[in-house]
Amino acid sequence: MESIRNLSSALWTIRTTQESAKILRTTYSLLRCFLFFDICYLIAGITLITMALTNQIAERERMVLCGGFFGLFASLSAMCNSLACHGMRKWKRGFLVPWILFYLLVLGFLTLNLLQALYLHNFHVEWRHLFLFFAVFTIFSCWRHMKKQYLLMSLPRPEQVIIDVESVVREYLRPSIVTSVSPAGDLPPKYEDLEDFPPQYDESTMRNDSACEGAAGGATSQTGEEATEPRK
């Protein structure tokens, strides 16, 4: 039962880590995509202003206003995206607040524009309304993802670790088999591992041992002679 509990905890940790890493990768891709569109909006705004000032066009003021709007929007959006990228690198979610607030205003503006267009046309759907609906849905999806990223950044940064789920499950489900093999510490050391040399005997020690053996041998022979004399 304990192994099953540990297994479920390990699998939940793995799932949470993988989801956090997936959200992080998606956020980086999303910010790069928004920066690309910001560059396009800025180029479009500069182009409209240049065309209105160099050519004799009847709606010059309108083109200048549209170009200025595109340029202002691109500048604000690029600033928010840059702050968000910096916050992602430093893992500080406070830099994501301008992005969330700015695109929340953009989402509200597009939603009101869509509702106004549908009301003026008696809710008769046109291609322009479909484009606005697609823009509202896309920005809402991106805004919701950035909100998840903001909440995720209250936790430590997820590490990019490749985890083998199969090996983890096998490790927790493996039964504990008791073997009769002695542990490595109880085995005698190998002959190759011995570093100490055999003990060296002194000459005086060898002489004392020889004298003791000789005395013991003489006493034994004398005892044998005393034992054989009564028989004679």
Side-chain angles (χ1 to χ4, degrees), residues 99-227:
W99 195 101
I100 295 174
L101 294 178
F102 176 73
Y103 278 97
L104 182 62
L105 294 176
V106 173
L107 180 62
F109 174 77
L110 291 177
T111 304
L112 292 176
N113 193 4
L114 176 61
L115 294 177
Q116 182 183 6
L118 290 175
Y119 178 76
L120 292 177
H121 290 80
N122 295 324
F123 295 95
H124 181 69
V125 179
E126 297 180 356
W127 288 106
R128 183 168 62 93
H129 303 155
L130 294 178
F131 174 75
L132 287 174
F133 177 79
F134 178 75
V136 169
F137 178 78
T138 303
I139 294 178
F140 175 75
S141 300
C142 297
W143 185 85
R144 185 178 60 178
H145 177 80
M146 292 300 293
K147 182 182 177 182
K148 289 182 180 179
Q149 181 64 50
Y150 178 80
L151 297 176
L152 178 64
M153 291 178 71
S154 61
L155 303 175
R157 179 191 291 270
E159 299 179 358
Q160 298 290 337
V161 180
I162 300 176
I163 302 175
D164 189 1
V165 180
E166 183 179 356
S167 63
V168 174
V169 174
R170 190 185 302 112
E171 183 68 23
Y172 277 98
L173 294 181
R174 181 183 299 171
S176 57
I177 302 174
V178 180
T179 59
S180 60
V181 180
S182 301
D186 296 341
L187 297 177
K190 296 182 180 180
Y191 180 76
E192 294 80 2
D193 297 336
L194 295 177
E195 297 180 356
D196 298 335
F197 296 98
Q200 302 293 333
Y201 297 98
D202 298 334
E203 186 176 357
S204 60
T205 306
M206 296 296 292
R207 289 178 181 177
N208 293 333
D209 293 341
S210 300
C212 292
E213 290 177 359
T220 303
S221 61
Q222 184 177 0
T223 303
E225 290 177 356
E226 291 177 357

Side-chain angles (χ1 to χ4, degrees), residues 53-85:
L53 295 177
T54 55
N55 298 327
Q56 297 295 331
I57 302 177
E59 298 181 353
R60 178 183 300 180
E61 295 181 358
R62 185 176 180 181
M63 291 185 65
V64 171
L65 290 177
C66 290
F69 174 78
F70 275 109
L72 180 62
F73 176 81
S75 301
L76 293 176
S77 179
M79 183 178 63
C80 295
N81 288 317
S82 300
L83 290 175
C85 290

